[in-house]
Amino acid sequence: MAEEQYPEKWGMVIDQDICTGCQACVTACSMENNIPFTGEEEVAYGRGMHWLRIQRYWEGEYPEVSPTHTPMMCQQCGHAPCEPVCPVFATVHSESESINLQVYNRCIGTRYCANNCPYIARSFNWFDYEVPAPMNYYLNPSVTVRRRGVMEKCTFCVQRIYAGQETAKKEGRALRDGDVVPACAQACPVDAIIFGDLTDPNSRVSQAARSERGYTQLEELGTAPRVTYLKGGGTYGG
Amino acid sequence: MNKPLPLWMRPWVRITFAVVVLIFLGAAAGGLYLTQTVPEQPIQFPHNFHVGSGIPCMYCHPGAQWGPTAGLPTTQKCLGCHQQVEKRTPEIEKLLNYAANGQSIPWVPVAIQPDFVQFNHRPHVAAGVECATCHGDLTKMTVAEPQRGQNMGWCLECHQKQGPEKWERLSDCALCHY
Amino acid sequence: MSEIISRRNFLKLAGLGATAAVLTGCGPAARYVTRNPYYDMPEYTQTGLSTYFATTCRECPAGCGLIMRTFEGRAIKAEGNPAHPVNGGKLCSRGLTGVQGLYNPDRFKSAVQRPQRGDPAVEPVEWDAALQVVKDALNGPAGEVAFLLGLNQDHLADLVTQLAETIGAPAPLRYGALGMFEGRATLVKAAEQVFGQAVFPYFDIAGADLVVSFGANFLEAWLSPVAYSRAYGRFRRAEPLKKRGYLVSFEARRSLTSGSADEWYPVVPGSEGLLAAALGKLLSESSGFSAVMDYAAVDVQAACAAAGIEPEKLEALAQLIARAERPLFLPGGNALGHADGLAAAVNILALNAGRGNFGVPGGVYLTTSPAGTATLTDLRGLVDRMRTGQVSTLFIHGCNPVFELPPTLGFTQALANVKTVVSFASFPDETALQADYVLPDHTPLEGWGYQYTLAGVDRPVLSGAQPVVVPLYETRATADMLLSAGKLPYKDEVEFIQSVLEDKVGQPDANISGTDLPSLWAKYLQAGGWWLAAPSLSAPEKNFADGASTAQPQAAGSGQFHLMTYPTLFGDGSGANRPWLQETPDPATTVMWNSWVEINPKTAEELGLHDDDIVKVRSEAGEVEAVVYLYPAIRPDTVAIPFGQGHTALGRWAERRGCNPAELLKVTMNEAGDLAFGDTLVTITPTGKRRPIARAESRVGVYGDH
């Protein structure tokens, strides 16, 4: 039912049993997507611009205390709470790619979408953060440099989705599994992040998403997230 | 006078307001006009002559066939022909000066989109869109001139003509904005 | 006012604002920018498309392969080289921010001379004059020249070794904080004792089904973290016919690695070797374990008591190990950085030997690349020579000893007696601040080179490095500077690198092959290095001392705490000037842009401390002020301070943040000559001051304080 209502396409699986919480994905995301660094004051105030963060929760009491790591980013909901509240249609759903979009040039900064996001996945440009020359040389030309007053969030590296589709088209072939890899999955040293096309039942991501350990975040809200998490933990031999 | 005029009805307020509005509107109109002017180019490059003599656009702007940007020719590329061609005009003299000093020519591109638009030439060229459709008839221009009304409506108008089966993809915001 | 501005008027005013925006934002100045196309476009570029170069990440000694995305002559993003045997396309945060080093605005932009040591003011100096300084030193009395290099096993290390040999100068010392906090010299020494070869062992984590880590933080910093993380990913993933790997960790605090462990035992720092002996004793009573050591002297109960672990748990673990098909035991830095660190390393290697783990899948192999890591004893020798005026010229490259070494070693004071200090640093770090000349080398992404991979790969690798962008500033390759003295028969850096590659010409079984040097060189640059096509390591001899060492951990007196110091994403501290590395949260604490002292909440309660309180941490050697972070997963008798912050130089993003725990370390060595940093005991004194630190986790308390 949900499938018919909210057609899915791109999806991600994060294996929490393998994720070590090393933060390589966080840095990779920031370097790929021209995310500005804000400095200690701003980031302490909760104005850090990370599109992807790793939620580290402690469970238990010393000495049985143990952390779980949940990489959290925009879940690219099929039924997204951010979309209906945007007064200017800057937060819209992509019909063809089935992801949530943030159209920077439309955004007027009401922050309604961030307020409505149950995953707290959106970050807002409170200021124009300076990247002193020549550090601006490394800015990725495939991603817009956002300015003050604009909301932003994980895009599933949509620039790489289009680049992958372009390359496939240029070579006159269909898109293959693994042609599109977002920056986080590319960097992940333990390969805990799998990305791909959910409409293809044989893709790595579809197979991984069918795992019995799979669950989605805040499932009960009915947001139809596109990111499946695989529960961690186990015993020897398990 | 038992009752003073409300502030907004007093003549001096209204006149000041009108003057300010006029100044702003005038300046805005001027600003808009300036955006439509042709910028100063380092060399008064005669597109009409080059296109007229049968040189394909993609000889100098080859990027259009394989990637996002068409690109501007390097000094060496100009020189490829102009080493053989007689230097007839002061403009060619300028080119040779750049070449002699090993400098690149500081061209000012006029067919530009804002930073938040991710335009890619290749699919358009592959779909058979003529250069002149967007860049105007270069046989009638010397230096390239900015074309009027290249806004999103203009893009979408053409995208819409590609048929309903392509419309879903061609009207997707993320196609150009990311 | 509010009633005067009606809705209509508000809209009018808003319209005015919009007009102003049109005026300022869309004028011709904003609309048109000048483009400078290439004068002559390089053949390998295509207008509008990215160009990719294969090179090597030289941020740490691991030697991961990079594919750098460049666009119109600018380095855009570091991506892993999928074909590289070390990282297989993966990268860590440190490597990903490499471009922030290349484009760091605080870099040295030309050769400079410092009129007054310690004074940031510098004067530019002509490269010819600078060259003369280098030439004079190399042509002078050879015994009075000293080279101090970083830990990277690269072409420069080889070149300087050759140079020193030729002119008769003492061999270069290669030292760095990463090696210090991982007890690398101790590990190599242990390998020498057991295997008869002074090289790094390689641990095949991917092939094991049970890994017992004795303080090895191999997912964050230990030896080759990306390689071992990749291996861990394969180890942990359950597949048809493959069990899910099970990780057990002994460490006083739950580090990134212990955080991923299925079982974590917070043991007293320094008791790891003793526990290995106790495990050996328990295992030797089980089948499938042939003891290579005499465990008769080991008292399991006493060992458990000294380590702070219940004997039942250790027995259960021994049973688990006995059941496991391929258990692997890792001797990490926290086990080795103690007075009895060498014995601990041997004890842990003996466990591997007992399970027949040498040279088999899921076991221990020996790498082939030269280790050549100096010990702190070697370094003390250099400091003594400096102090007594036996060194007239000191060349420093790739390390920052003023920051990294414990101040009690007296390196900074000894520098005063060195006539000329020449630094090749790219950034104004603490050591460059004490140098008379700074002759900046190209940054790694601008220069040539090769690097032997450290210890994270199952085959010999010569990882290749090439410039991905033209040098940004007036910098010169250090190798070229040293070669210009004419002591070695190479024209330049590239010729030297090619001379090393010459041995590989015509060699089969490698990823690339070539019948002559030019063809091999071209393939080497394209592939990002040379390596054997198949795993080829072995582990030949083994030789163990008769009895297992039962050295006891140091006991903390009342009011005293064990101090744990551990390297983080910043590596040897040189990563602190990368703003995105600063803003990447610490994996365990989520703190950004600062350092902290981890204290167990129970201990903090006893001391009356809260999050963000500033305390004085005092040891025999010195004291620092640090901000308290209540860390639930650390022993109550231990506190921990990460290494890497607390810079007094190194540019705008690194300076004046946090504290440098090296100031607390007293200079005591273990038997291998490595620093016994784990034996530091400290006291904690509240100062009554507070400083909220930035963290990504719950922000309660921080909002109010700002």
mmCIF file of all heavy atoms in Angstrom, chain C residues 311-328:
data_model
loop_
_atom_site.group_PDB
_atom_site.id
_atom_site.type_symbol
_atom_site.label_atom_id
_atom_site.label_comp_id
_atom_site.label_asym_id
_atom_site.label_seq_id
_atom_site.Cartn_x
_atom_site.Cartn_y
_atom_site.Cartn_z
ATOM 1 N N PRO C 311 37.669 -12.702 37.949
ATOM 2 C CA PRO C 311 38.280 -13.899 37.360
ATOM 3 C C PRO C 311 37.279 -14.709 36.540
ATOM 4 O O PRO C 311 37.651 -15.309 35.527
ATOM 5 C CB PRO C 311 38.763 -14.697 38.564
ATOM 6 C CG PRO C 311 38.855 -13.711 39.675
ATOM 7 C CD PRO C 311 37.851 -12.646 39.407
ATOM 8 N N GLU C 312 35.994 -14.689 36.950
ATOM 9 C CA GLU C 312 35.003 -15.478 36.200
ATOM 10 C C GLU C 312 34.901 -14.969 34.764
ATOM 11 O O GLU C 312 34.733 -15.747 33.826
ATOM 12 C CB GLU C 312 33.606 -15.387 36.855
ATOM 13 C CG GLU C 312 33.522 -15.885 38.282
ATOM 14 C CD GLU C 312 34.111 -14.899 39.280
ATOM 15 O OE1 GLU C 312 33.796 -13.692 39.166
ATOM 16 O OE2 GLU C 312 34.912 -15.309 40.141
ATOM 17 N N LYS C 313 34.983 -13.638 34.627
ATOM 18 C CA LYS C 313 34.861 -13.067 33.280
ATOM 19 C C LYS C 313 36.035 -13.499 32.419
ATOM 20 O O LYS C 313 35.866 -13.789 31.233
ATOM 21 C CB LYS C 313 34.803 -11.544 33.370
ATOM 22 C CG LYS C 313 33.444 -11.041 33.816
ATOM 23 C CD LYS C 313 33.347 -9.540 33.748
ATOM 24 C CE LYS C 313 31.943 -9.087 34.118
ATOM 25 N NZ LYS C 313 31.887 -7.656 34.400
ATOM 26 N N LEU C 314 37.215 -13.500 33.015
ATOM 27 C CA LEU C 314 38.394 -13.898 32.253
ATOM 28 C C LEU C 314 38.298 -15.370 31.883
ATOM 29 O O LEU C 314 38.680 -15.768 30.778
ATOM 30 C CB LEU C 314 39.664 -13.623 33.058
ATOM 31 C CG LEU C 314 40.925 -13.472 32.213
ATOM 32 C CD1 LEU C 314 40.866 -12.234 31.357
ATOM 33 C CD2 LEU C 314 42.167 -13.472 33.067
ATOM 34 N N GLU C 315 37.774 -16.182 32.814
ATOM 35 C CA GLU C 315 37.626 -17.603 32.512
ATOM 36 C C GLU C 315 36.621 -17.809 31.383
ATOM 37 O O GLU C 315 36.855 -18.616 30.475
ATOM 38 C CB GLU C 315 37.177 -18.372 33.765
ATOM 39 C CG GLU C 315 38.346 -18.787 34.632
ATOM 40 C CD GLU C 315 37.942 -19.045 36.076
ATOM 41 O OE1 GLU C 315 36.772 -19.392 36.318
ATOM 42 O OE2 GLU C 315 38.802 -18.870 36.960
ATOM 43 N N ALA C 316 35.525 -17.051 31.443
ATOM 44 C CA ALA C 316 34.524 -17.162 30.370
ATOM 45 C C ALA C 316 35.157 -16.771 29.038
ATOM 46 O O ALA C 316 34.906 -17.404 28.009
ATOM 47 C CB ALA C 316 33.335 -16.255 30.676
ATOM 48 N N LEU C 317 35.985 -15.729 29.067
ATOM 49 C CA LEU C 317 36.640 -15.289 27.834
ATOM 50 C C LEU C 317 37.586 -16.364 27.319
ATOM 51 O O LEU C 317 37.638 -16.631 26.114
ATOM 52 C CB LEU C 317 37.392 -13.979 28.084
ATOM 53 C CG LEU C 317 38.138 -13.418 26.883
ATOM 54 C CD1 LEU C 317 37.177 -13.093 25.755
ATOM 55 C CD2 LEU C 317 38.924 -12.169 27.257
ATOM 56 N N ALA C 318 38.317 -16.986 28.244
ATOM 57 C CA ALA C 318 39.244 -18.047 27.838
ATOM 58 C C ALA C 318 38.482 -19.183 27.171
ATOM 59 O O ALA C 318 38.930 -19.751 26.174
ATOM 60 C CB ALA C 318 40.022 -18.556 29.048
ATOM 61 N N GLN C 319 37.300 -19.486 27.718
ATOM 62 C CA GLN C 319 36.492 -20.552 27.107
ATOM 63 C C GLN C 319 36.026 -20.144 25.711
ATOM 64 O O GLN C 319 36.007 -20.953 24.787
ATOM 65 C CB GLN C 319 35.282 -20.861 27.989
ATOM 66 C CG GLN C 319 35.651 -21.774 29.145
ATOM 67 C CD GLN C 319 34.561 -21.815 30.195
ATOM 68 O OE1 GLN C 319 33.421 -21.455 29.925
ATOM 69 N NE2 GLN C 319 34.910 -22.240 31.388
ATOM 70 N N LEU C 320 35.663 -18.868 25.589
ATOM 71 C CA LEU C 320 35.237 -18.349 24.280
ATOM 72 C C LEU C 320 36.375 -18.469 23.277
ATOM 73 O O LEU C 320 36.183 -18.892 22.136
ATOM 74 C CB LEU C 320 34.801 -16.890 24.439
ATOM 75 C CG LEU C 320 34.237 -16.217 23.202
ATOM 76 C CD1 LEU C 320 32.907 -16.820 22.826
ATOM 77 C CD2 LEU C 320 34.078 -14.723 23.429
ATOM 78 N N ILE C 321 37.569 -18.087 23.723
ATOM 79 C CA ILE C 321 38.736 -18.145 22.828
ATOM 80 C C ILE C 321 39.013 -19.590 22.437
ATOM 81 O O ILE C 321 39.317 -19.893 21.279
ATOM 82 C CB ILE C 321 39.973 -17.517 23.514
ATOM 83 C CG1 ILE C 321 39.751 -16.027 23.730
ATOM 84 C CG2 ILE C 321 41.225 -17.753 22.684
ATOM 85 C CD1 ILE C 321 40.776 -15.361 24.611
ATOM 86 N N ALA C 322 38.864 -20.481 23.394
ATOM 87 C CA ALA C 322 39.129 -21.887 23.107
ATOM 88 C C ALA C 322 38.152 -22.417 22.061
ATOM 89 O O ALA C 322 38.491 -23.261 21.248
ATOM 90 C CB ALA C 322 39.035 -22.703 24.392
ATOM 91 N N ARG C 323 36.920 -21.885 22.096
ATOM 92 C CA ARG C 323 35.906 -22.334 21.135
ATOM 93 C C ARG C 323 36.109 -21.724 19.764
ATOM 94 O O ARG C 323 35.686 -22.261 18.756
ATOM 95 C CB ARG C 323 34.526 -21.921 21.645
ATOM 96 C CG ARG C 323 33.883 -22.926 22.576
ATOM 97 C CD ARG C 323 32.410 -22.654 22.649
ATOM 98 N NE ARG C 323 32.167 -21.240 22.433
ATOM 99 C CZ ARG C 323 31.246 -20.502 23.053
ATOM 100 N NH1 ARG C 323 30.471 -21.032 23.880
ATOM 101 N NH2 ARG C 323 31.092 -19.229 22.834
ATOM 102 N N ALA C 324 36.743 -20.529 19.740
ATOM 103 C CA ALA C 324 36.850 -19.780 18.484
ATOM 104 C C ALA C 324 37.731 -20.505 17.487
ATOM 105 O O ALA C 324 38.660 -21.221 17.862
ATOM 106 C CB ALA C 324 37.408 -18.389 18.753
ATOM 107 N N GLU C 325 37.399 -20.313 16.198
ATOM 108 C CA GLU C 325 38.195 -20.978 15.171
ATOM 109 C C GLU C 325 39.501 -20.242 14.923
ATOM 110 O O GLU C 325 40.555 -20.856 14.846
ATOM 111 C CB GLU C 325 37.393 -21.057 13.870
ATOM 112 C CG GLU C 325 36.326 -22.127 13.889
ATOM 113 C CD GLU C 325 35.325 -21.929 12.757
ATOM 114 O OE1 GLU C 325 35.744 -21.507 11.670
ATOM 115 O OE2 GLU C 325 34.131 -22.195 12.992
ATOM 116 N N ARG C 326 39.428 -18.928 14.774
ATOM 117 C CA ARG C 326 40.635 -18.165 14.474
ATOM 118 C C ARG C 326 40.693 -16.909 15.338
ATOM 119 O O ARG C 326 40.401 -15.823 14.876
ATOM 120 C CB ARG C 326 40.665 -17.776 12.992
ATOM 121 C CG ARG C 326 40.844 -18.945 12.042
ATOM 122 C CD ARG C 326 40.838 -18.491 10.599
ATOM 123 N NE ARG C 326 39.662 -17.688 10.286
ATOM 124 C CZ ARG C 326 38.459 -18.186 10.026
ATOM 125 N NH1 ARG C 326 38.268 -19.484 10.020
ATOM 126 N NH2 ARG C 326 37.446 -17.394 9.765
ATOM 127 N N PRO C 327 41.053 -17.047 16.597
ATOM 128 C CA PRO C 327 41.154 -15.848 17.437
ATOM 129 C C PRO C 327 42.450 -15.091 17.139
ATOM 130 O O PRO C 327 43.444 -15.693 16.752
ATOM 131 C CB PRO C 327 41.158 -16.414 18.848
ATOM 132 C CG PRO C 327 41.716 -17.784 18.704
ATOM 133 C CD PRO C 327 41.398 -18.270 17.321
ATOM 134 N N LEU C 328 42.394 -13.768 17.288
ATOM 135 C CA LEU C 328 43.560 -12.929 17.002
ATOM 136 C C LEU C 328 43.734 -11.958 18.167
ATOM 137 O O LEU C 328 42.751 -11.440 18.697
ATOM 138 C CB LEU C 328 43.317 -12.159 15.696
ATOM 139 C CG LEU C 328 44.412 -11.215 15.205
ATOM 140 C CD1 LEU C 328 45.665 -11.998 14.856
ATOM 141 C CD2 LEU C 328 43.933 -10.454 13.980
#
